[in-house]
Amino acid sequence: MNLELIEKLSGVKEEIGRAMVGQKEVIDLTLTALLAGGHVLLEGVPGLGKTLLARTLARVLDISYNRIQFTPDLMPSDITGTNLILTGRDDFQFRPGPIFASLVLADEINRATPKTQSALLESMQEGKVTVFGETRDLPRPFFVIATQNPLEMEGTYPLPEAQLDRFLFKVLVPYPSLEELREIVNLTTGTAQAELEPVMTGAEILEVNRLAREVPVADKVLEYALKILVSTHPESPSATPMVKEYVQVGASPRGIQSIILAARVTALLEGRFNVSFADVEKVCVPALRHRLFLNFEALGGGINPDAIIAEILDATERG
Amino acid sequence: MAWPQELTMLSKVRRKCRVEYWLAALLLAAAAAMLAYAGVTLLAAPFPALSPWRLPLAFLAAAAVAVVMWRVQPGDLEIARRLDKDLASEERVQTLVENRQGQSPMLQQLRRETADYFRRRQPRYRWDKKRFFAPALLSGAAAVILILSIVFSPHLAQSIAQRREVLEQQQEAAEQIEEIIELLPENPLGEELAAQLEDLLEQVYSLTAPGEFETLLREALELLESEREQAAAIESALEELLAAMNMPPEELAEALGDPEFAAQLAEAMNNLAETLPGGMDLASALKELAANPSAAEASHWQQIIEQLEELDPSAYRENLQQAVRAAEEMCACEENSEGEGEGEGSGKGEGEGSGEGEGEGSGEGEGSGEGEGEGEGGGNSEGGSSGSNGGEGFGSGTADPSPSSYVYIPGQGEVILSGEGEPGEYTLRELIPNNPGLVDDYTEFFSGYRRQALSRLNRSPIPRPLADFVRSYFEAIAPQGGK
């Protein structure tokens, strides 16, 4: 086994930390999702470093990067690319869209129409793009970081539940602390700019992705994760009071896939070769929060999924 | 399966984990043994045959618990999980144990990493005190139960034996009373007696003390004897009445014109009515007739005569006599009522004597004392004389009575005093020889008192404890040895 690859993972985090101030959890979770082969939905107000994170990741991982600003008039072909008739030629030639990159930043994804959103989300799931009946593979690794603003809801198209399920994590980007703000100011308004060096390659990311799937999970740990997932179902005997009261639909089997895969990567990122209860707990909230569909009582009462998941974690016994 | 080689440094803590389990199991087995011993000890109270099985069953219970604990003892995986929890090894041990057969590069890396991990951190075993809490609590409770069972089982056995004895006595007494009831002749005179005996029969099942059964049976016997005496009185009164009415009813009605005869007949009827049981219609009819005998017509006298002839008290008395004899034979109390008493007494006295004689001889007097705490005795006297014939002497003596010996004698009859004492200085015993009618025999009036009291108890709604108290009282003052 390539142990150097595992060691490189900590180097990736260090290198990203040179450009990003704070947001350690956001970085960890985004990196986890990337190494697990999943996609991330970042939610936070503008200016918290979401674009910088995507750009930094692309640079450190030495992969191709495109940014798509989603707007209401954005068309699917603006993402996927289209066939064009070029001067002097009598046939169509495919012009790839911005989705043809290893790391795609879909900025403010909820501003585009559902049709356009679907074009992106279908590509995320399949890793392929079909234009005029012709299917084309997206580059590997393929990783989408989608962002959305939680405040400006007017003129937006919230992602449907089925589409949200395609994201491995939904990560909330918090405000930086005072110390972090001071560091950000010093870092970005001075003359010195951080020069980032590539630490890994796309091929190595794929290798890590493969290795992560080999990390063993103990029966009791898997059972713990399963119990957590089942507890999100209101009709389950193990459902907590909040689940019964506020959850309309619980997490799908894709939820447990996400938890276990992410927990495996988390173990590797921490230098371990087995999954622990703590790994599962760490990824549960970002892996499940966008998979719980709450009812009107929850929305009216200001109940957020994080509180419900926290209650489930408290109520579920390890092992 | 073998413990993974990479986890050999955990062998010591693994062994301690097993020791901890078996210590808890030992406590549980001890608790089971103690509970089994206590249970069999308690069961042996009603079933003494179980007593020798106490120890074998206790060992059996302990063995059963040991077998169960052996079967459910934690395997390597359970121990691995426990160690992961105690050693905070982030599930490395259980993952490794679960995948001990795997040879993938990732598992090999896991083995190396886990070995390094425990090399860096010396594993120390923490005894799980909570694991011992429930078994220790159970063992303590079992020990307490065992001690209590050992202490109380003799009392329990005794109580059960007493209860059995009481039940047997209840059954026996009930059978005896039922037998007495069956022996009773069918006669209108005996209806009240039968009702009283039925009452006694009902009381049998509420009695608990062995002495009470004897009292109850004696009571039944006394009822029979009383009824026999009553039957004799009825027979006498009836004979008197029938003798007076010995003529045809028409003549009787005419003869009642004679006031003297009417008065004589009324007295005879009243006498009979008095002796008849109070509840009989005939008694009230006789009393009504006695009030104005001349007003009755011949046909009414005819009915009365027929009813009187139906009474047949002589046959009733004879049957009662047989019933009493049979009852006396079956009652254990018979022996007591006619048995001999035992008593001890001592006497001390001083006496003076004088002798007279003719001729030569010697006189000798002797007295003996008996009683309780009373100074009474005979004095010896010797009288010397001279003469050819033998002489005869007698002596008498008196002892100084204590103040507690003085008895107030109520009544207006004359009491003959003898000796040298002044009135008020004689003991009852001194007075009795010269005044035989001064006191009644205790046994006579005791039985009368008791009969009356117990008869009232049977007829009145007196609370059970109070009735028991009255019975106990009469039991306590019952004459002993006819005294």
Side-chain angles (χ1 to χ4, degrees):
Chain A
M1 199 175 76
N2 192 349
L3 281 179
E4 289 178 3
L5 205 54
I6 306 299
E7 288 166 4
K8 275 186 180 179
L9 291 174
S10 57
V12 170
K13 281 200 276 188
E14 283 175 18
E15 195 65 17
I16 294 171
R18 288 178 60 214
M20 290 279 296
V21 177
Q23 307 291 10
K24 185 175 180 308
E25 189 182 358
V26 176
I27 295 169
D28 280 353
L29 290 173
T30 307
L31 193 59
T32 301
L34 189 150
L35 295 174
H39 310 284
V40 172
L41 176 62
L42 298 180
E43 186 172 284
V45 295
L48 292 180
K50 297 187 288 288
T51 309
L52 176 63
L53 172 62
R55 214 170 44 230
T56 306
L57 270 174
R59 176 71 183 144
V60 171
L61 298 176
D62 195 21
I63 51 178
S64 56
Y65 165 72
N66 275 332
R67 176 178 182 273
I68 310 170
Q69 180 64 48
F70 278 59
T71 56
D73 59 350
L74 191 72
M75 299 298 290
S77 57
D78 294 335
I79 296 171
T80 59
T82 188
N83 286 338
L84 297 175
I85 302 173
L86 299 177
T87 309
R89 294 186 61 166
D90 55 357
D91 60 343
F92 291 101
Q93 187 178 6
F94 179 69
R95 175 70 62 90
I99 200 167
F100 283 87
S102 286
L103 199 161
V104 176
L105 176 64
D107 218 357
E108 296 189 273
I109 189 172
N110 56 341
R111 294 205 173 276
T113 61
K115 187 177 179 182
T116 309
Q117 289 173 0
S118 297
L120 174 69
L121 295 165
E122 187 184 347
S123 306
M124 285 163 56
Q125 181 68 20
E126 305 294 333
K128 292 173 183 174
V129 169
T130 303
V131 179
F132 288 103
E134 191 174 345
T135 301
R136 300 171 193 277
D137 289 332
L138 292 171
R140 296 189 68 212
F142 177 67
F143 180 58
V144 174
I145 297 177
T147 70
Q148 62 180 17
N149 185 343
L151 300 178
E152 297 174 7
M153 300 305 289
E154 198 171 340
T156 62
Y157 303 91
L159 290 173
E161 285 78 5
Q163 308 287 24
L164 279 173
D165 203 27
R166 296 169 196 274
F167 288 100
L168 188 81
F169 285 161
K170 177 182 178 182
V171 181
L172 304 183
V173 185
Y175 280 108
S177 66
L178 189 68
E179 284 303 311
E180 288 168 352
L181 276 173
R182 188 193 308 276
E183 206 173 331
I184 289 169
V185 169
N186 290 336
L187 189 67
T188 55
T189 59
T191 53
Q193 295 290 325
E195 288 294 327
L196 298 174
E197 294 295 329
V199 178
M200 290 180 78
T201 64
E204 286 172 334
I205 291 171
L206 291 174
E207 177 63 14
V208 172
N209 193 301
R210 188 189 63 76
L211 282 177
R213 290 171 184 269
E214 290 181 8
V215 174
V217 184
D219 288 345
K220 286 288 173 184
V221 176
L222 178 59
E223 192 180 315
Y224 178 61
L226 290 169
K227 281 195 279 190
I228 290 170
L229 185 94
V230 171
S231 297
T232 65
H233 301 157
E235 67 279 4
S236 164
S238 59
T240 61
M242 283 184 84
V243 170
K244 286 177 180 166
E245 189 173 356
Y246 298 120
V247 176
Q248 189 175 353
V249 179
S252 67
R254 198 176 277 161
I256 190 67
Q257 291 169 350
S258 303
I259 289 172
I260 294 299
L261 198 53
R264 283 177 152 144
V265 174
T266 303
L268 278 184
L269 282 172
E270 294 193 359
R272 271 185 291 107
F273 300 94
N274 69 295
V275 177
S276 69
F277 290 115
D279 296 332
V280 171
E281 286 168 0
K282 185 176 179 182
V283 300
C284 262
V285 175
L288 292 178
R289 62 159 62 109
H290 57 295
R291 292 185 163 94
L292 298 187
F293 305 119
L294 307 185
N295 56 24
F296 287 113
E297 283 80 5
L299 298 175
I303 304 295
N304 63 47
D306 290 14
I308 296 171
I309 298 165
E311 190 194 49
I312 292 172
L313 289 174
D314 282 344
T316 308
E317 283 185 19
R318 288 178 168 190
Chain B
M1 276 190 282
W3 189 248
Q5 194 181 353
E6 295 77 14
L7 297 177
T8 45
M9 72 285 284
L10 296 181
S11 296
K12 197 173 175 182
V13 288
R14 177 175 164 239
R15 206 161 39 243
K16 284 182 180 176
C17 191
R18 286 197 186 281
V19 168
E20 181 188 284
Y21 174 83
W22 281 109
L23 281 177
L26 190 66
L27 280 174
L28 283 176
M34 285 190 280
L35 284 175
Y37 192 92
V40 180
T41 301
L42 290 174
L43 276 175
F47 306 108
L50 288 175
S51 196
W53 290 92
R54 280 182 293 191
L55 269 179
L57 285 175
F59 280 118
L60 197 65
V65 169
V67 169
V68 170
M69 296 302 282
W70 175 265
R71 289 179 68 89
V72 300
Q73 67 174 318
D76 283 344
L77 196 53
E78 282 82 10
I79 292 176
R81 285 170 187 152
R82 166 81 193 284
L83 294 180
D84 269 335
K85 196 175 175 184
D86 286 355
L87 305 175
S89 53
E90 294 178 297
E91 290 66 65
R92 284 179 174 87
V93 182
Q94 58 184 292
T95 308
L96 207 51
V97 171
E98 278 179 16
N99 297 281
R100 66 188 113 187
Q101 303 294 337
Q103 295 298 328
S104 71
M106 183 63 74
L107 286 172
Q108 288 173 4
Q109 191 59 37
L110 173 62
R111 288 191 182 97
R112 279 193 291 273
E113 195 268 341
T114 303
D116 287 345
Y117 178 85
F118 286 115
R119 261 195 292 275
R120 288 196 303 271
R121 297 169 182 77
Q122 193 61 34
R124 292 184 61 186
Y125 188 75
R126 285 185 296 114
W127 290 90
D128 186 3
K129 290 174 185 169
K130 286 180 185 172
R131 178 184 276 268
F132 292 101
F133 182 73
L137 196 68
L138 191 64
S139 296
V144 171
I145 291 170
L146 177 65
I147 291 168
L148 289 177
S149 71
I150 290 172
V151 170
F152 286 107
S153 63
H155 301 282
L156 185 64
Q158 190 179 0
S159 173
I160 289 170
Q162 281 177 352
R163 178 67 187 152
R164 278 183 183 160
E165 190 182 351
V166 165
L167 286 173
E168 284 172 6
Q169 285 183 338
Q170 278 181 350
Q171 190 68 27
E172 191 180 348
E175 285 173 1
Q176 286 174 344
I177 291 176
E178 280 172 356
E179 211 167 323
I180 291 172
I181 291 172
E182 284 174 8
L183 287 172
L184 286 181
E186 287 191 6
N187 192 296
L189 293 170
E191 289 174 358
E192 190 175 340
L193 174 64
Q196 288 175 344
L197 289 173
E198 292 285 351
D199 287 344
L200 289 181
L201 185 59
E202 286 178 11
Q203 286 178 27
V204 164
Y205 294 104
S206 58
L207 300 181
T208 52
E212 290 178 342
F213 294 101
E214 190 182 324
T215 304
L216 197 77
L217 290 172
R218 193 180 298 159
E219 192 179 331
L221 185 59
E222 284 170 2
L223 280 173
L224 284 173
E225 285 174 345
S226 170
E227 190 69 14
R228 187 182 58 183
E229 289 169 8
Q230 189 74 5
I234 291 171
E235 186 181 1
S236 168
L238 184 62
E239 277 177 8
E240 186 187 342
L241 180 59
L242 288 175
M245 295 169 69
N246 190 17
M247 60 187 78
E250 293 78 12
E251 290 179 21
L252 182 63
E254 286 176 14
L256 283 170
D258 179 7
E260 191 179 341
F261 177 71
Q264 184 191 347
L265 192 64
E267 188 183 353
M269 284 194 289
N270 274 329
N271 286 342
L272 181 59
E274 289 295 326
T275 55
L276 286 174
M280 281 187 75
D281 293 339
L282 182 59
S284 53
L286 286 173
K287 280 183 180 173
E288 283 177 16
L289 271 175
N292 190 8
S294 55
E297 295 178 357
S299 61
H300 191 58
W301 286 113
Q302 179 63 36
Q303 288 177 1
I304 292 294
I305 289 167
E306 286 173 0
Q307 287 182 24
L308 289 174
E309 286 172 347
E310 281 177 8
L311 285 180
D312 195 9
S314 60
Y316 178 56
R317 187 170 54 80
E318 285 171 10
N319 286 336
L320 273 176
Q321 182 67 31
Q322 292 174 3
V324 167
R325 274 199 294 273
E328 281 175 346
E329 284 172 7
M330 71 178 68
C331 288
C333 59
E334 182 191 359
E335 196 176 325
N336 289 335
S337 63
E338 296 181 1
E340 292 180 356
E342 287 183 2
E344 288 184 2
S346 64
K348 188 181 179 185
E350 293 177 358
E352 292 179 358
S354 64
E356 281 184 282
E358 291 180 1
E360 288 181 342
S362 62
E364 195 175 45
E366 204 173 62
S368 65
E370 188 178 40
E372 292 179 359
E374 280 186 21
E376 189 183 341
N380 295 328
S381 66
E382 285 181 11
S385 62
S386 62
S388 56
N389 298 324
E392 188 178 28
F394 68 91
S396 66
T398 57
D400 289 336
S402 66
S404 61
S405 303
Y406 294 118
V407 177
Y408 170 70
I409 302 169
Q412 296 175 348
E414 188 179 344
V415 178
I416 299 167
L417 302 178
S418 64
E420 296 176 353
E422 294 296 320
E425 293 183 353
Y426 287 87
T427 62
L428 196 59
R429 196 173 287 274
E430 287 167 345
L431 292 174
I432 286 173
N434 293 323
N435 303 274
L438 193 61
V439 293
D440 293 330
D441 185 4
Y442 178 58
T443 55
E444 290 177 8
F445 65 80
F446 168 78
S447 61
Y449 275 123
R450 191 177 65 174
R451 187 163 53 248
Q452 288 297 323
L454 297 183
S455 175
R456 179 63 64 187
L457 286 181
N458 292 337
R459 294 170 191 166
S460 307
I462 296 174
R464 164 89 187 142
L466 200 57
D468 289 344
F469 180 76
V470 173
R471 284 197 180 89
S472 302
Y473 169 73
F474 278 97
E475 190 70 26
I477 65 168
Q480 300 289 323
K483 294 181 182 177

